[in-house]
Amino acid sequence: MMKKRWLNLGFQLSALVLALGFTTLILLATKTDPWQAYKYIIIGSISSLRKFTDVLVSFVPLLLVSSGLLVTFSAGLWNIGVEGQITLGAIATTWVLRLLQDSSLAPGLIIALAMLAGMLGGALWASLAGALKTYGGVNEIFGGLGLNFVATALTLWLIFGPWKRPGIGSMSGTEPFPNTLWLPMISGFRLSLWGLGLGVFFIILIYFLMKGTYFGLRIKAVGKNLKAAYLLGVPTTRYLMLAFILGGALAGLTGAIQVTAVYHRLIPSISSGYGFLGLLVAMLVNFQAIWVAPIALFFAALNIGSIQLPIVLKLDSTLSGVLQGVLVLFVLLMDGVRQMITRRSGGAS
Amino acid sequence: MHLLFIKQMNINLNQICKHFGKLQANDHISLLIPGGTIQGILGENGAGKSTLMKILSGFIQADEGEVILDGVQVRIHSPADAIQHGVGMLHQDPLDFPPMRVIDNFVLGQSGGLFPDWKSVVDEFKQLSEQFDFKLRHDAYVDMLTVGERQQLEILRLLWLGAQVIILDEPTTGISALQKQKLFETLKILAGRGKTVIFVSHKLEDVENLCDRVVVLRQGKLVGEQLKPFNTKNLVNMMFGKSIALEESKSHSTDRIAFELRDLSLEEERIQIQNIDLKIQAGEVIGLAGMEGSGQRPFMQACAGFLRPVHGRILVNGRDMTGMNYPAFKRQGVGYMPASRLEEGMIPGLTLSEHFILAGQQEGLFIDHDQWQEVTREKIRDYNIRGKPESPVESLSGGNQQRALLALLQQPLKLVLLEHPTRGLDIESVIYTWGKLKERCCDGAAIIYTSSDLEEILLYSDRILVFFSGKVSAPLSARGTSVAQLGNLIGGKDWARIKTGVGVTA
């Protein structure tokens, strides 16, 4: 058993080496010095406290959305609609903030209500994809993809229509909210400890939910064999819907954080691709909640670290995306290789 | 072609050894098979039969020992290698490509040019089918064929590729009595034409009916050999190291009605079943006999609440359950055990203990793992499962998965529905399984089960329903029915002489 674990770790490490090797080749092909590029990524992410807090700002939404995706993944669902769920969370949050910003309620209460609304919005959007799947027989990938487009269209319509800035609507988003409606931040930095706290709280919650509860076990059972789970007495439709709702609520909270702690308004690309990046994280951790935080932190560091690449090396900052994507591909590939090897050496008649 | 003149191949396996980890699957097995004979390889599950045959057919390599074909020592590295040497293997599940035509499947294994020469291939196919008296159409689609016909297709393909030796691994699993008879005829023709047939099975009866000679494996060793005529008692002794027989079964039927069907009509894609009236007493065992696809499955599904009847009523313990779904049936005490263990019955990747948690009652939010470990250990003892609470279910052997499925059925039950509860099990496990099921009957559960083993049906049932293309017989008493009578009914004969629970059929 122990030997097997080391073997698995070996394969995962070799995937990391291969991914780095592949990215290096790409860099060489574009006539860039790979060491320079990697050095600037590291410097750009951890060289100063300010930069590291920026990494954490990117880490919080990725952590939240990945935690939610862990649940849908465990239920055997490809929740591609997660981008739309983030967007709807942001829209719902913005809506409540707009509604209550002139009221006499305490700002803290308004923010709390807005964030709850964000979770509800995400959950609602996810349950649409869920209902399409469980009652309509529409694969969640297609349903989710369609709803993503609808969510984007809805955002643009709001920004240029009913919620446009006084005068003229612009791609820069809605009118920013006053400071009092921002999630409190550490002074001098962009990081909100409240956001970080929520992220940490939810990944711990999901960890225990999936590991120790009846709910988590049933979600896993549904994901691994829907038919057998039904025969054993698990109400499968209900658990599929619950997985969607929980995943959607966390995606919605991600959107709420983007509005209350990062942009302080609704912008057209409010989800910032965190949904798709979260899918990569969820794939990489292979259902193990314990790995979500470290991987999400690593990805966030890559994101922030590569921001200055265009300035110093004339290299597009999407290099981090290349590395992240290649990493996932190689991990999946090495996992296939591992299975092939262990199957060949084992297997009695 | 080379098929037309008679060439016989002698097989000599010398001191074959193979181990998987600590398990010695084949332990110095030596065996001589003369050409043109039907050689039986008998043994219970896990005796090492399949391993030996996989070595001969190139799927795996032996650790030690020699394979000598016609006096020449050969090394067989792959199945393609094996067929080059004239050895072909027919697997437990046909390895064909259902959405394609017969002739496409036929050509697939052939090496050579990009474009098959269709005309000559079709001619050769027809010639071969004629020679062995197969009634396969080359332009039929494979998914329309029966399992038996698919076996024929696979045999033809192997012959066409030049096989002198054909290995069949448990070929009678999951096929009807009629298909089995047909298969045996085919194999006898093959042997008559000089081919060597190796027949691997754990079914004594099949081996006795078909083979010229038989060797018995037990725990990786070759323990004995017999020529026709066989001494059954002796063979059983060799297989199990002790003598056992299917024991007499006792009825636990009471006069309380546990389950009732009133004028029930069902419709599924191709099958219609009409106007069934049936009352089952608590403790009674009802066997469903018939070829696969004759309507047993929709019948069982209706009894479990998966399939909504188009007409009539279903009553569980006197309560009208018509139109309700499976969870409602389950709450009323109806348990259902599917035939395919890992596809429908269990969840690969989860442990035994996790299965008992899923099937059990939730207490609180968090799982008390210690408590469930204890429950699982108890079930493991109680049901004689070889495994640990933390074993993933896919690591258990077929017999142990079966016992685990039985253990997972809730307690108590009013009605237990079982699809092929003993398929693929050795005799000891069959006896054990029925012992456990009869305990359920003692506790007042009624049982409905399907089986393609007629002796099992006659031995363990109180009454029998025979299915033939959607027709359902009135319940026959198991005591007053013989294997021959049952066989005829399953094959569609003698229906005029019995009552059916059925009006019109489509």
Side-chain angles (χ1 to χ4, degrees), chain A residues 106 110 208 244 284:
Chain A
I110 296 176
F208 283 109
F244 268 115
L284 213 53

Side-chain angles (χ1 to χ4, degrees), chain B residues 478-494:
Chain B
R479 299 284 168 276
T481 310
S482 70
V483 173
Q485 284 171 316
L486 204 52
N488 281 344
L489 285 172
I490 288 170
K493 287 184 269 183
D494 297 346

Side-chain angles (χ1 to χ4, degrees), chain A residues 208-209 211-215 217-218 220-222 224-225 227-234 239 345-349, chain B residues 20 51 306 326-327 330 336 338 342-348 350 354-355 357-359 362-367 372:
Chain A
F208 283 109
L209 195 65
K211 199 179 165 72
T213 65
Y214 287 92
F215 176 85
L217 182 60
R218 286 182 190 146
K220 270 191 265 181
V222 167
K224 285 177 192 287
N225 190 340
K227 194 150 190 189
Y230 185 66
L231 281 180
L232 284 172
V234 178
Y239 277 85
S345 62
S349 75
Chain B
F20 298 105
T51 305
F306 293 121
Y326 167 72
K330 195 170 153 70
Y336 179 81
L342 281 185
E343 286 76 33
E344 295 177 293
M346 301 186 136
I347 302 165
L350 295 190
E354 286 174 319
H355 277 77
I357 300 171
L358 285 169
Q362 175 169 355
E363 281 161 31
L365 190 62
F366 288 92
I367 298 168
W372 280 108

Side-chain angles (χ1 to χ4, degrees), chain A residues 157-172:
Chain A
W157 174 69
L158 286 170
I159 289 174
F160 289 97
W163 293 353
K164 73 173 176 223
R165 287 185 174 195
I168 191 135
S170 108
M171 282 305 273
S172 64

Side-chain angles (χ1 to χ4, degrees), chain B residues 9 189 261 272 286 317 462:
Chain B
M9 185 188 266
I189 294 175
L261 301 176
Q272 287 188 350
I286 304 281
N317 215 28
D462 294 310

Side-chain angles (χ1 to χ4, degrees), chain B residues 256 258-259 303-304 314-322 324-335 410-416 444-445:
Chain B
R256 193 163 50 81
F259 186 69
C303 294
I314 301 176
L315 287 85
V316 178
N317 215 28
R319 182 191 287 246
D320 192 343
M321 299 293 291
T322 318
M324 299 204 191
N325 61 7
Y326 167 72
F329 273 72
K330 195 170 153 70
R331 276 193 296 278
Q332 274 305 302
V334 176
Q410 76 213 65
Q411 200 111 19
L413 282 175
K414 298 280 188 314
L415 174 69
V416 193

